[in-house]
Amino acid sequence: MTDSKSDNRPTRALLRRRELLWLGIGALSGASAVVLGRSPQPSGQATAQSPEARSFEVSGDRSLGARAAAKGILYGAAIDRSILADDTAFTARFVQECRMLVPENSMKWRSLRPSLDTFDFNAADQVVDFATQHNLEVRGHTLVWHQSLPGWFAEEVTRQNAEQVLVNHVQTVARRYAGRIHSWDVVNEAIQPKEKQTDDFRNSPWFKLLGIDYVELAFRVAAEADPNAMLLYNDYSLDYDTDEDETKRNAVLRLLERLKSRGVPIHALGLQAHLDGQDSHQLNPVQMQRFLREVADLGLKVFVTELDVKDQTLPANVDQRDRIVAAAYEDYLSAILAEPAVIAVLTWGLSDRYSWLSEFKPREDGMPVRPLPLDDELQPKLAWNAIARAFDQAPRR
Ligand code: G3I
């Protein structure tokens, strides 16, 4: 990867200008702010428009799923089993907007594996059945991850049995849903350069037990168990023009190159894209597009797998906050969707009624978080408009 710092001076200057403009946000108040109504740049170049100055205007009443599909993109969202059972208004809205779902938690080890010798598919089956009933594609999340491992894992999985435990899990789960899964997150978050391990691997239980080969093994077993599913490597902190994200992009690229050069069956990269409304000025569209081209040049597709925009430290004023969040969605998606290898966008939830951020990144002022396209009454927010606009402007793939 080339050094972005030297090539991108004009973009960075533009971004700095935008940052300054955004600092003036408090002077403009709420919905009555000047509306210029400019469109997002189809090329994904940075725009100097502040969130306050944007119109977020959308034409027509088509769903996000329909707008995305018109461009050859799949739109969907994460959903949990408990929601399916308890909230019919939400599920009805979900089915209107989405063409794809991903179980937020039901396919993790903690949900699937009550013990070393047993599987419990109850929750995962319910989510997959719901998808089948409503003609939604399903993403599987996730076969191998260092988090959400069951309590028994640390005691019962050893260097002696780790390979067999991993193979058995991937084989059993991928075979059970073969034919019903569009794509699997085979390995999640294996890279963490900060931990200073071989090839920038995260010092996870899997790495400690099996070394770097567990990634290749998981992909090979998954491909054999479900030859029709697309297989992804999925990770976070790949989005911004910061040293940390640049180091991680480079490390992920090296992993992908290595896997491809060894003939490993991997088909796409998943960008989690948990964005932060206060970091929007750190998005560098040119740099992101170059990264995505490098991924695409390896013959891989790209999915945005867990998109949301954190508002933990944004102003309390709901109108201001929604505008900043919406601008973050619009800028990110218009940058990313300029690359035709990006074929799916999933938000990590659909409505503010259910977001992991309420629990994990609550606001200090106690106000509810607003990171998703619909509010907690299931009404579209400006974030919905921003996503709709980005799909409408995206080149067809
Ligand atoms: O299911 C139990 C429930 O029985 C119990 O009463 C309750 C008590 O807190 O906990 C419930 O489990 C929680 C589970 O979510 C379901 O709500 C876990 O504590 C909680 O840790 C778990 O958090 C999930 C987290 O991953 C860890 O698995 C979040 O919902 C989920 O949004 C989050 O998603 C991850 C992606 O998988 C990978 N990328 C990052 C993303 C955000 O962290």
Side-chain angles (χ1 to χ4, degrees):
M1 214 170 171
T2 46
D3 177 15
S4 62
K5 305 286 178 295
S6 52
D7 302 0
N8 284 325
R9 273 187 220 117
T11 313
R12 291 179 65 80
L14 193 59
L15 289 172
R16 265 195 298 275
R17 212 177 106 223
R18 183 172 63 170
E19 199 178 339
L20 287 174
L21 280 169
W22 284 24
L23 289 176
I25 197 169
L28 298 163
S29 68
S32 58
V34 189
V35 172
L36 295 179
R38 251 206 280 151
S39 300
Q41 314 279 317
S43 64
Q45 300 309 301
T47 156
Q49 266 190 309
S50 76
E52 292 287 339
R54 300 190 197 195
S55 76
F56 295 113
E57 212 173 278
V58 168
S59 59
D61 57 1
R62 287 171 312 150
S63 67
L64 295 181
R67 288 171 198 268
K71 300 301 173 67
I73 302 165
L74 266 163
Y75 170 72
I79 192 166
D80 232 3
R81 188 266 304 257
S82 56
I83 304 175
L84 295 184
D86 298 344
D87 193 339
T88 50
F90 180 91
T91 52
R93 199 70 187 80
F94 190 96
V95 169
Q96 280 168 7
E97 291 291 348
C98 297
R99 299 283 169 101
M100 178 180 240
L101 65 69
V102 53
E104 185 169 348
N105 289 305
S106 322
M107 286 184 172
K108 293 176 181 171
W109 281 60
R110 197 174 285 167
S111 172
L112 291 174
R113 304 301 303 276
S115 74
L116 178 59
D117 304 318
T118 56
F119 288 80
D120 176 357
F121 290 109
N122 188 27
D125 281 357
Q126 283 179 39
V127 180
V128 176
D129 289 346
F130 172 81
T132 308
Q133 232 179 350
H134 296 284
N135 212 13
L136 301 165
E137 300 278 6
V138 183
R139 298 203 61 245
H141 174 82
T142 169
L143 293 170
V144 184
W145 191 26
H146 63 284
Q147 275 188 39
S148 287
L149 291 169
W152 52 261
F153 187 95
E155 265 177 38
E156 297 190 48
V157 184
T158 63
R159 283 184 191 213
Q160 282 65 48
N161 68 2
E163 182 172 330
Q164 186 254 326
V165 171
L166 184 138
V167 169
N168 180 45
H169 182 87
V170 174
Q171 219 164 48
T172 308
V173 178
R175 271 189 193 153
R176 180 178 185 87
Y177 296 110
R180 303 177 79 190
I181 295 280
H182 172 277
S183 44
W184 267 112
D185 289 335
V186 178
V187 177
N188 197 35
E189 303 172 6
I191 295 294
Q192 185 47 282
K194 279 190 261 187
E195 297 187 359
K196 308 271 178 236
Q197 302 297 318
T198 316
D199 289 348
D200 289 321
F201 266 57
R202 180 188 294 278
N203 198 13
S204 74
W206 291 114
F207 175 82
K208 287 180 191 146
L209 291 162
L210 294 170
I212 65 169
D213 291 339
Y214 80 87
V215 171
E216 177 167 343
L217 179 66
F219 275 96
R220 290 197 187 281
V221 175
E224 205 177 271
D226 185 351
N228 295 318
M230 288 185 78
L231 305 182
L232 276 80
Y233 174 73
N234 192 46
D235 215 328
Y236 65 90
S237 285
L238 300 169
D239 313 298
Y240 291 131
D241 189 356
T242 60
D243 289 345
E244 188 183 336
D245 285 16
E246 179 67 354
T247 305
K248 192 146 176 189
R249 277 190 292 273
N250 285 329
V252 166
L253 206 50
R254 279 195 299 274
L255 171 68
L256 300 177
E257 281 162 0
R258 184 168 169 277
L259 294 174
K260 286 299 287 185
S261 73
R262 293 176 57 81
V264 174
I266 175 170
H267 309 115
L269 169 66
L271 305 174
Q272 291 187 8
H274 291 292
L275 306 180
D276 190 329
Q278 76 166 14
D279 292 340
S280 293
H281 59 280
Q282 293 180 327
L283 174 70
N284 179 339
V286 174
Q287 181 188 50
M288 272 313 277
Q289 286 161 8
R290 189 166 51 220
F291 170 65
L292 296 178
R293 192 85 299 266
E294 287 179 281
V295 173
D297 285 346
L298 292 171
L300 298 172
K301 300 291 186 197
V302 177
F303 290 43
V304 179
T305 52
E306 305 184 12
L307 180 61
D308 53 16
V309 179
K310 197 170 20 155
D311 68 344
Q312 188 180 37
T313 54
L314 296 182
N317 178 285
V318 165
D319 182 67
Q320 273 189 357
R321 212 182 335 149
D322 283 359
R323 283 179 169 274
I324 297 170
V325 167
Y329 273 109
E330 185 169 61
D331 289 346
Y332 186 77
L333 285 177
S334 45
I336 294 290
L337 294 176
E339 167 52 60
V342 180
I343 57 164
V345 174
L346 291 103
T347 46
W348 204 238
L350 179 66
S351 141
D352 297 336
R353 194 178 279 190
Y354 306 108
S355 165
W356 70 291
L357 293 165
S358 317
E359 184 192 340
F360 287 78
K361 301 284 174 187
R363 292 176 56 83
E364 257 182 22
D365 58 16
M367 292 181 79
V369 297
R370 300 175 64 84
L372 289 166
L374 306 182
D375 69 13
D376 59 3
E377 299 294 325
L378 308 176
Q379 297 306 311
K381 298 186 306 179
L382 289 182
W384 185 98
N385 291 38
I387 299 170
R389 282 163 63 86
F391 287 146
D392 289 350
Q393 301 277 338
R396 195 181 300 274
R397 45 225 63 212

